[in-house]
Amino acid sequence: MFKKNTAVTGFPFTLVDSSDGSAVTTGTPSGYYLLDGGSQGSITATPTHEGNGQWSVNLTAGEMNGDVVGLLFTHVDAIPVHFTIKT
């Protein structure tokens, strides 16, 4: 369960290569957040590759300070992945 205005350690997500479906294991993904339909902001932390295309990122309390939080992760080689979290 996610709580409003509470940091999240190690939020996991998976990146899949847009050309062949393989795991994306290198490079630097970008992360974005959206709070309650407001303006999009960049996630402060840099995602870390954990293995086999799984990545994790720490989210600050400010990045989680909404009733509905949208998260988007992009990478030049990957299909973008999105999460909607109700706090």
Side-chain angles (χ1 to χ4, degrees):
M1 175 185 231
F2 297 100
K3 293 184 180 182
K4 184 176 181 176
N5 201 31
T6 302
V8 175
T9 301
F11 182 85
F13 61 97
T14 300
L15 292 176
V16 175
D17 191 290
S18 59
S19 64
D20 64 9
S22 65
V24 173
T25 60
T26 61
T28 304
S30 296
Y32 305 94
Y33 69 97
L34 186 71
L35 304 176
D36 299 326
S39 297
Q40 188 181 65
S42 295
I43 291 173
T44 305
T46 300
T48 300
H49 183 247
E50 304 294 353
N52 299 308
Q54 287 188 307
W55 297 75
S56 69
V57 68
N58 295 332
L59 303 170
T60 67
E63 293 163 352
M64 293 296 295
N65 193 16
D67 294 320
V68 177
V69 178
L71 299 175
L72 173 66
F73 298 98
T74 63
H75 185 286
V76 296
D77 296 326
I79 298 168
V81 62
H82 178 267
F83 299 90
T84 301
I85 299 169
K86 183 167 175 27
T87 60

